Amino acid sequence: MTKEIKNKQTKEVKTKKTAAPAKAVVKKAAKPKKKEVELSLLDAIVAGMQEKKAHQITVMDMRALSGSMCDYFVVCHGTSTTQAEAIARSVEEVVYKLLKIDPSHVEGVANAEWILLDYFDIIAHVFVEEKRAFYGLERLWGDAEIKQIA
């Protein structure tokens, strides 16, 4: 009798061990981590800029800075107000198409010299070349980790 009880216990333990990993995999796939969501939003913003041939796309990681209002700045410029406006529209379209996210606030479309798209954790800045040089966000936030996108 003792052997039968041990065999039953062993089978139960084996059954539980094989069933547990399947549940864990489902939970991981169903709930993405916050960092993965941020990276996909960042990638979508950059893709929207690249689609309209934005110049000098720069990603500034603001997370290590105290007092920063967001996690990332993404900065680029166009050669004219028409291109800057097209870049901003492209960013909105690509982000919405891929992630179904609209910016919480859009600023500067009327003049189209500096368009700001606020996605809470990430702020996209689309400049006309002269205004980008004048305001110099990369110099202003020089302590941030800066990465140029090819």
Side-chain angles (χ1 to χ4, degrees), residues 38-116:
E38 289 174 358
L39 290 176
S40 65
L41 176 58
L42 183 61
D43 292 340
I45 290 170
V46 170
M49 290 176 173
Q50 289 174 329
E51 187 173 295
K52 295 298 178 182
K53 310 284 190 255
H55 298 276
Q56 295 178 355
I57 300 171
T58 305
V59 176
M60 300 168 59
D61 188 344
M62 311 291 278
R63 294 176 293 180
L65 303 178
S66 62
S68 69
M69 70 247 13
C70 63
D71 291 341
Y72 295 95
F73 274 177
V74 184
V75 184
C76 72
H77 71 268
T79 56
S80 67
T81 56
T82 305
Q83 186 184 16
E85 192 175 347
I87 293 167
R89 264 189 273 122
S90 176
V91 169
E92 284 185 271
E93 290 170 4
V94 169
V95 169
Y96 188 78
K97 181 180 173 184
L98 296 176
L99 304 172
K100 303 293 186 243
I101 299 173
D102 285 322
S104 64
H105 185 72
V106 178
E107 187 81 29
V109 177
N111 293 334
E113 293 179 344
W114 179 0
I115 301 171
L116 181 139

Side-chain angles (χ1 to χ4, degrees), residues 135-147:
Y135 288 107
L137 291 184
E138 291 91 344
R139 290 187 313 272
L140 183 63
W141 293 95
D143 294 342
E145 183 180 325
I146 297 175
K147 178 182 169 187

